[in-house]
Amino acid sequence: MGLGGYRAIVIGAGISGLAAAYMLARHNAEVFLLEKDGPPPEDPEEAFRHWTRPGATQIRHSHVFLGRLRVLLRDAYPELLSALLQAGMKEMRPLDRPPPALRGISPEPGDEDLVALAGRRVTFECVLRRCVAALPNVKLLSGIKVTGLLGTPTDPPHVTGVRFEGRAGEKRLRGHFVVDASGRHSAAPRWLPGLGCRPIPEKQEDSGIVYYTRFYRLRPGAGEPQPGKDPWVADWDWIKFAVFPAEDGTFSITLAIPRSEPRLKVLAKPQAFDAMIREIPGVSDWIDPCVAMPLENAPHGVEAMGGLINRRRRFVDAAGPIVLRLFVIGDAAYCTNPLYGRGCAQAFLHAHALVNILERTLGDWYAAALALDQFARENIEPFVRASVVADRDAARRALGHEPSRMIDKFQDKFFREGVAVAMRTDPVVFRAFLRMINMFETPEQAFLRPEVVARTLWVMAQGEAYRRRHGWRPPPEKSSVLDRLQASLGH
């Protein structure tokens, strides 16, 4: 039976909306999925080249689909995982390619979960959209702009449907409940006061960074570079970088710069972007002309993205639920800096929890609202807080400021001189890092366990010679790099 007899209206066909529609339909609900952007071409390669997607400006930036998401697909939706792998997405197993000092690391129970999915966001979305559209109880309507909510003036108000603009003007669609999966630009905070709702508790903080992404393709016969001493993901304080393998021999490199470094805006130009990559040991191997070339069908040489925020919206306050029959999921409720790659995993976890809660409460909308809020506080908000703390710390370091409190100074030293080296030499700390990065544990859970702390302190006690031997080499001097970037443009 499941949710048979219920009509769900889902706003937005991005990752969270598609996930919610698929899960609701699998549990027998009738689903109307409303998306303001047009549909993609059938072929993901064509979609990458031509799909106009103003509702998801991040679609052509680097993505990684974390282990927590893959485990959910493996255990609950194996047909989706199979479809993604058939489309060319790859499983990344970092324990098979550990840092050099950990070669030959012995397998342990739980290692099978520490596997992420690699692929382009366009491919992931196209495959998911195709799986959703194949379900007979889903009506996926593109080019539909939702303009407001329908509701009853109870206390708290009940949402009973939506108003939307179509080809024939404004229309109304009613359902048993509405799922707002419209992303970080959700209009719910503007719509709800009109129904008589209390204000939504919200906290927002700017991440302080700007993103630049460039896609490449391996040349025929060339393989991905092998990991060595130099990392493919790191933070030099004045710039962050990461390599993201994808499907069909493609990969992307993302550079994140603090807004306090306006001179690095030249990275929006392909020549300067490639010149910067050549300054990064290890990463430069990926764009060796014998190994790879810029992706010929990318709409832009370099994709840029700003306005990156951390935000928490709650729809339950001290007095209880603010609204009933409206469930806000994904970036519309919890938005984190995409640098940490958690957005798609959070969207799937949120949608999966919602469907399980709706099936369990079956029409008790008050209980459903409380349960979804409790799930988010326990499973999503800790990662939002971790993102805020990390971004504040990164902004401080980008400005060259030292921590002011003694406890903050020790914590900074613990992570930069301890964890950063220990995760390259100690299997326990390496696994803690993988569990954190794949969203199985928060940074506090991963790195403050007694065993991890003890092993990290041991590494710190080995001194500078040990860190030089096993840690990352120091970054190049910033001003010299900036001069060379300008020279790359002929200035």
Side-chain angles (χ1 to χ4, degrees), residues 258-290:
R259 287 209 312 272
S260 57
E261 271 303 341
R263 291 173 295 174
L264 284 170
K265 289 183 178 180
V266 298
L267 295 173
K269 299 182 181 297
Q271 309 98 294
F273 190 99
D274 286 352
M276 183 67 232
I277 300 305
R278 287 191 288 270
E279 298 279 349
I280 304 175
V283 178
S284 60
D285 297 342
W286 285 81
I287 68 164
D288 184 307
C290 296

Side-chain angles (χ1 to χ4, degrees), residues 6-71:
Y6 284 87
R7 173 184 283 185
I9 302 170
V10 180
I11 306 171
I15 299 298
S16 56
L18 290 168
Y22 186 83
M23 297 170 188
L24 288 164
R26 280 276 308 273
H27 286 256
N28 301 318
E30 178 190 19
V31 181
F32 283 82
L33 179 55
L34 310 181
E35 169 56 48
K36 66 179 179 180
D37 291 343
E42 280 293 315
D43 178 46
E45 282 290 341
E46 285 299 303
F48 185 83
R49 183 195 293 262
H50 296 300
W51 193 14
T52 302
R53 193 79 167 89
T57 53
Q58 72 276 27
I59 195 167
R60 290 184 183 88
H61 281 272
S62 299
H63 276 69
V64 63
F65 304 94
L66 302 179
R68 185 88 180 269
L69 169 55
R70 177 190 162 275
V71 165

